[in-house]
Amino acid sequence: MKSQETATVKTKKARFFIISFNLLIINCLSNLNILPVKAATEEPVLSVVQSPENTQQWTGITKRLQSSGFKYCVIPLSEIKSAADWGDRKILFLPNVETLTPAQVIALEGWTSKGGKVIASGPVGSLSAPGVRQFLRSLLGSYWGFGLDGTQQLKPAKTKSQAWANQTELFGKVRGGVLIADGISSQVSAVWNTQDSPAAVVTTESSTLLGWRWGTDAASTLELDNAWLKAAINRHFTTASSARKKIPGAASNCATTIASAGEQGSRGAEGQRSRGSTFQSTVNSQQSTVNNQQPTPQQEAIDQLEQTVRWNVQPDSNVPIDDKEAIALQQELENLISRVESAYLAAAVHPANVGVAVTSNPQSLKEEETRVASTRPGFPTASKEQVIAQARQVAQNIPQLIANKNYALARQQWLATRANLWKNFPINRRLASAEIRAVWLDRGTIVRAGGEKGLAKIFDSLAQSGINTVFFETLNASYPIYPSQVAPQQNPLIRGWNPLAVAVKLAHERGIELHAWVWTFAAGNQRHNQVINVNPNYPGPVLAAHPDWANYDNKGNTIPLGQTKPFFDQANPQLRQYLLKLFEEIVTDYQVDGLQLDYIRYPFQDQDAGRTYGYGKAARAQFQQLTGVDPLTISPAQADLWQKWTDFRTSQVDSFVADVSQMLRKKRENLILSVAVFPLPERERIQKLQQHWEVWARRGDIDLIVPMTYAQDTARFQRLAQPWIASTQLGSTLLVPGIRLLSLPNLGAFDQLQLIRDLPASGYALFAAENLNNDLLKIFNSTQGKVQAVASEPIPHRQPFQTVAVRYAALKREWQFLIQNDQLQIPATKVADFNNQIELLEKAFTQLAAAPSASKLLTAKASLTRFNSQFRIWMRQTAIDNPYQVKVWENRLATIERLLRYGERRSQLR
């Protein structure tokens, strides 16, 4: 009885702590409020935060602020260390501020709890840590979901009438993104005039979030930006007690009061200079170089792909669903049902679950499903068969619901069914076969590890979860993470230890491969500059020492407008030799298993908008020598010359990949060369990035292609990844799709993994280690983790022939299991032939794996060709009953064929 009372007290205390903590968060981030404003008041009406992200847009932001009629002051984000530092103005404006630290958001909490109100724009906080992003979601009642293609018309929301947001001048064409309302009190105040009318402006009592990058001409006009700013300011002043225009106890740190309309000039910059702002040098330099055609900021690899994410299904929305979307919704559910069934089949026959011998397999798949379900908390629950039957019914009903215009109900049932199917994946059973299981181990995680002890914990966790390949961030923004004899400076965040040497040792002790992940042509990083507390415009240690190695855009900027990284001149021979020497040092001094090239491209460009890149000193001289024309004098309108210029730049990247490949092969033949690349269509990619990785693959320069196929729903992930997985243009190179874990539900991540396992792919890569959480690691431990009873698995890029044998053995177990249970519909007259061919093919693969030779490889390839020619005949009836599973088997046979070709090239068995 006493123990029960003690437990009850502990429970109450825990609940009280959780509630108090949640209230604290809500107060911190839901009160970013500021009071009513009158135009041209004597004192500043609002404080405007300047950050590394919006510094490059500061000309446009300043122009709008000065013409708005409101007085304001500027607060550099770097100076925020406590709640008082957010200033004493009642309204705080965060224009396009994408990075906040935990300390800053905690300080913001204290400030908002005193009655401050917030106006924000763009993907606010999107580059911050997950906990910070969650705080901001709570505060703003919404978050940036994804960018829209091109400009879209703003229109009033059809929800409750909001007089403040119904003014005619608020609605025009804007380039922005979809906001996801994420709070009980959130109100959509404006929407985009696109399918489903997604949110463009979301408000709470204490905040207003604008779904575009305010202050950039590429996103919106000055007039429309200021109309929304005025409306938001006046809204907050009329909804709060206007008697008090300052935050009590906050610092009056707006030393610079920027003039209202008509007072043009440099007072803002001068005022910041008087405060000693770390952003001042950035402001000074950018004021002279930024033009009015600002591109959408942060157009880097991950950010660009993140913009392609679509939340195709929004609950409670009764916006009409067209026939095309209805078919897609139905098909997505049916595919998910098939992935669940495919996962159960793999779990049913995996040796780690049922013993190595095929004869010890359970008598039916239903028995295995029951066994899997019985290990879940709360068993008994609905069986997998019941869940799938219900899901099939929902999939069948969706067209009728849509025909009856029950759009909201269709969406709700779709989401509920997907969630239920996700919960029924057999995530407590081993089901993965031999595959590449890679993760990017990022610099931030390495730095936080602090030494060998901390890094060992990370590698222990990765090893237990079945990860067999680590892309270890070794060179970032020109800073090596190890003490180098080639590079001018080690990363200053590393002190007293050599992370690369430690990582190699720890990885190899745990049977994990370690590949050095290096930034190739990106020379610096403004965000990293902020972390190490140097001038935001610092180009990195290499360009600082060799400014003639720098590359430029057509406006003379080393950092493309709206981006954060300067790039090297890919055509500069001294730069190329330096990089080769640095990479040679890595693979010579450290027993890494491979090298991964990142930023193996030019920065993003948009030639239609007049934003191009590549005009370094060496590149211009070489192109002029080839053609007699300075590339700065030509434009896309000169089609022939422009194509030559594009080809010239593309060839600089192509030839450097070849140089790196040749160097690696000479140093150590067994080194693996991989590339992190964009999955954009080939033509578009060459125009925008000059990245032609199909050429590198066909030439045999690289071993692994890792496309950054990042998406937050499985259907879109499939649309991004499948064309490249199925491509016939990649020679014998293996393709390993990338999955971005950030903001991805754990079961959503597992769903994407299952899709990869059902496609003709050799494995996956997870971005990044900092986004791995304990629950996801538990799923990995169960489904792909190390098992004592099972022999060590081969890694496809390291032991391709052994991988072929293991993966084929898994296929054989599935076929025999289904035959034993009368679930594989093969004509009786053909069963014997099918079984005979299964055995012959297994024998050929087993012999090749045991002792590879040219003759055994030829036998294996011929046997596979013969088997494939008959497979569709054997599976004719099964393909009618279960087309998805038959396609999965064909995909796995295609993967085996690719591995044979890859192994042939790597082992030179010809």
Side-chain angles (χ1 to χ4, degrees), residues 427-428 465 773-784:
I427 58 172
N428 49 1
S465 66
N773 58 67
N774 289 334
D775 289 338
L776 186 58
L777 287 171
K778 286 178 183 177
I779 293 173
F780 289 164
N781 290 348
S782 298
T783 58
Q784 63 181 40

Side-chain angles (χ1 to χ4, degrees), residues 339-358:
R339 288 195 295 275
V340 171
E341 291 181 320
S342 178
Y344 265 94
L345 179 58
V349 302
H350 198 285
N353 300 331
V354 296
V356 176
V358 175

Side-chain angles (χ1 to χ4, degrees), residues 568-616:
F568 291 121
D569 181 356
Q570 290 86 344
N572 187 291
Q574 289 78 31
L575 174 275
R576 293 164 71 101
Q577 284 303 311
Y578 165 79
L579 290 176
L580 285 172
K581 189 175 181 181
L582 185 61
F583 297 166
E584 183 179 5
E585 177 185 58
I586 292 170
V587 301
T588 302
D589 293 355
Y590 301 90
Q591 287 300 303
V592 296
D593 300 288
L595 188 74
Q596 180 174 92
L597 304 180
D598 197 4
Y599 292 98
I600 183 69
R601 57 178 177 84
Y602 285 70
F604 261 96
Q605 301 141 69
D606 185 350
Q607 64 182 41
D608 295 332
R611 296 192 295 270
T612 56
Y613 199 88
Y615 304 93

Side-chain angles (χ1 to χ4, degrees), residues 667-682:
K667 285 294 172 184
R668 279 195 279 149
E669 286 186 357
N670 64 339
L671 283 168
I672 300 296
L673 181 59
S674 64
V675 289
V677 297
F678 263 53
L680 294 174
E682 184 176 4

